[in-house]
């Protein structure tokens, strides 16, 4: 299937939800986004500088003009939550627990949960796995610095540091209402029947004996936890807010902010689906904006991340509104830009390759493992021993944005030498995992049946000879590829990669038939992360560097979290930050802090 600039993947079904959590690589089914053509305009004070230097923002539509005659309902409350996703749900609970009266508006027909993993530092829950505060497993300063390096030091250190200081306690708080949540002692421990539908687990406990993150040039740190059903825990968190009196309005998006003469935000305008009039919701204490990113807005993508357009990156958007359209249209940035908020300049996409021939479950045939990769010219083009984001960056640079991943029949004995990291197959299993196993845990395991199924599905080709294998790869330069494989085998047998410097422990020759190959293109964009300039207290700043009073931001619209690219040395960092800063935003709004 050809990928066009308007290819999108429909957001329904279990496979889509699983892929959202895992980082599905491959092509998307075509479906055009239906966002309205935006009018060229500027922010209210005209000082937000567009990338062309003119101060225009072509993605920003005209602000709606709403008068008292347009209002069909008026509500008073302490705190308004705009959007019920990974940040909005914790924000609602935190505000309600702080004693505030809460009203929540959500564009879709339910709250949204599309992830499963969180990067967490410390806390009592992590302590049970030897990863608590003071366990000296990881140096907090080092983790923060590595995150800053991953974002080319464009991120806000205070935001990163607060994650390191408080995410453990935030996780403990988040799971407290989850009475039926079973906590596993290990990554792949047996789960009792009563816990199989809803359990929490650590990644890589115990750690692979063959993996030492301290000796890796691009490590994946042992910080991550996974939920078999994050949606279940989110539902229970939201129920806390509901039990405290929170008013939940689904299929009712917020369309603009209410601002007083001083520039402070005092409420919102929302619009129920099917209505031509508006709800005016006055917030005595604060408005929390957690409406998600701009993944499905092509005009905003062109402006902030033009490489995604040029490289024809498809998206995976799951959240849908009542009309069947994608929710993620950058609503937060639009509303805040209308009222003078400063938008950060450097954005990041969540595009981490999961390996060649990824299926509907998001798993590549053999993961994004650092076996031999060749391009259409038959040339090797990188040190393959890099994380999925860097694999994606390299694939985008290849002819036709296509590459081929090669391995041989010795793979069961080789997996244990690959990194314990996101997208990597590092466990070989004789038998498949139990049916209840969380989808995130399946990413790191492979059985012989997995490979056989990939061949049967056409996601992988196999042959007893290199010549026979290459003959099945349409578009590759066979003679050059054959020479590249022979040369690679020489390097592997010598134990030194003089071409790209790959470590010898992952330098495996193609010498044991049958041989395998899988073709891959670009991966899917799972999130367009770029927000307004904010701080670790979730305050929003205007273009003069002043706090806009009365409004708080968390989740994707919170700037300073990820810049340039989405690093995956801390697997699940975005969701972990959403949960934690959602909590902080809700508390601060309720307390006007």
């Amino acid at each position: 299937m050809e990928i066009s600039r308007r290819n999108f993947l429909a957001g329904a079904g279990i496979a889509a939800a699983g892929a959202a959590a895992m980082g599905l690589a491959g092509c998307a089914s075509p479906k055009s986004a239906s966002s309205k053509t935006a009018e060229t305009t500027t922010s209210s004070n005209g000082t937000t500088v567009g990338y062309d230097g003119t101060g225009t923002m072509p993605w920003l539509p005209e602000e709606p003009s709403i008068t008292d005659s347009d209002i069909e309902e008026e509500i008073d409350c302490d705190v308004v939550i705009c959007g019920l996703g990974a940040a909005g749900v914790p924000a609602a609970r935190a505000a309600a627990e702080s004693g505030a009266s809460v009203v929540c508006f959500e564009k879709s027909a339910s709250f949204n949960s599309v992830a499963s993993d969180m990067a967490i530092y410390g806390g009592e829950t992590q302590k049970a796995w030897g990863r608590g505060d003071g366990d000296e497993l990881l140096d907090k300063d080092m983790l923060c610095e590595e995150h800053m390096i991953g974002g080319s030091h464009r991120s806000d250190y205070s935001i990163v540091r607060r994650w390191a200081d408080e995410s453990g306690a935030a996780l403990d708080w988040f799971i407290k209402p989850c009475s039926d949540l079973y906590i596993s002692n290990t990554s792949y421990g047996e789960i009792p029947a009563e816990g199989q539908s809803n359990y929490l687990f650590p990644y890589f406990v115990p750690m692979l004996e063959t993996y030492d993150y301290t000796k890796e040039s691009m490590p994946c740190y042992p910080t991550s936890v996974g939920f078999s059903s994050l949606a279940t825990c989110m539902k229970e968190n939201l129920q806390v807010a509901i039990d405290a009196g929170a008013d939940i309005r689904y299929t009712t998006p917020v369309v603009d902010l209410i601002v007083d003469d001083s520039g402070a935000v005092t409420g919102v305008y929302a619009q129920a689906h099917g209505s031509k009039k508006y709800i005016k919701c006055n917030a005595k204490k604060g408005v929390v904006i957690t409406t998600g990113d701009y993944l499905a807005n092509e005009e905003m993508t062109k402006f902030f991340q033009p490489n995604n357009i040029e490289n024809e990156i498809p998206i995976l958007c799951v959240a849908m509104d009542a009309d069947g359209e994608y929710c993620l249209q950058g609503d937060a940035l639009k509303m805040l830009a209308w009222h003078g908020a400063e938008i950060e300049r450097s954005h990041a996409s969540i595009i981490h390759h999961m390996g060649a021939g990824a299926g509907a479950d998001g798993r590549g045939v053999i993961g994004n493992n650092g076996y031999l990769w060749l391009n259409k010219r038959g040339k090797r083009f990188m040190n393959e021993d890099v994380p999925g984001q860097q694999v994606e960056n390299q694939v985008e640079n290849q002819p036709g944005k296509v590459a081929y991943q090669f391995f041989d029949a010795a793979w069961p004995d080789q997996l244990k030498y690959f990194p314990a990291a996101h997208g990597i197959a590092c466990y070989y299993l004789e038998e498949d995992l139990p049916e209840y196993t969380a989808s995130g845990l399946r990413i790191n395991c492979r059985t012989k049946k997995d490979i056989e199924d990939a061949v049967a599905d056409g996601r992988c080709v196999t042959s007893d000879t290199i010549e026979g294998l290459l003959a099945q790869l349409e578009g590759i330069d066979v003679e050059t590829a054959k020479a590249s494989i022979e040369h690679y085998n020489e390097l592997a047998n010598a134990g030194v990669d003089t071409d790209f410097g790959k470590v010898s422990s992952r330098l495996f020759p193609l010498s044991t038939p049958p041989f395998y190959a899988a073709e891959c293109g670009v991966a899917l964009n799972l999130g367009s992360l770029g927000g307004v300039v904010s701080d670790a207290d979730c305050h929003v700043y205007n273009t003069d560097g002043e706090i806009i009073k009365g409004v708080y931001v968390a989740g994707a619209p919170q700037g300073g979290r990820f810049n340039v690219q989405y690093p995956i040395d801390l697997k699940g960092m975005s969701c972990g930050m959403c949960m934690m800063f959602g909590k902080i935003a809700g508390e601060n709004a309720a307390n006007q802090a």
Side-chain angles (χ1 to χ4, degrees), residues 75-80 100-101 265-268 281-287 550 552 589-592:
I75 309 171
D76 292 324
C77 67
D78 292 327
V79 175
V80 178
S101 58
V265 175
T266 61
V268 303
C281 187
N282 303 304
K284 298 175 185 177
K285 294 185 176 181
V287 172
Y552 303 82
N591 294 300
Q592 296 179 290

Side-chain angles (χ1 to χ4, degrees), residues 420-457:
H422 185 51
I424 294 289
C426 52
Y427 293 100
Y428 169 68
L429 302 178
E430 290 287 348
E431 297 181 358
D432 199 5
L433 290 163
E435 286 297 320
Y436 63 77
T437 302
S439 57
L441 289 171
R442 294 179 181 275
I443 290 175
N444 300 112
C445 299
R446 293 297 182 277
T447 65
K448 288 184 177 179
K449 185 178 183 301
D450 287 326
I451 306 303
E452 292 169 356
D453 288 347
V455 173
D457 293 342

Side-chain angles (χ1 to χ4, degrees), residues 504-583:
S504 59
S505 60
R506 295 163 193 158
L507 198 60
F508 299 117
L510 288 169
S511 57
T512 306
F515 305 102
Y516 300 89
E519 177 182 326
C520 69
V522 295
L524 296 173
N525 182 9
L526 306 181
S528 295
L529 304 180
V532 293
V533 175
S534 61
D535 61 24
D537 284 317
C538 303
H539 297 135
V540 176
Y541 289 79
N542 65 20
T543 54
D544 293 324
E546 300 168 336
I547 291 176
I548 301 176
K549 294 181 180 180
V551 65
Y552 303 82
V553 66
Q558 181 185 21
R561 301 187 311 144
F562 304 101
N563 304 91
V564 182
Q565 65 179 5
Y566 183 78
I568 52 175
D569 51 353
L570 297 166
K571 170 177 160 61
M573 184 66 154
S574 181
C575 190
M577 281 188 162
C578 285
M579 179 273 294
M580 190 193 98
F581 283 106
K583 174 179 182 289

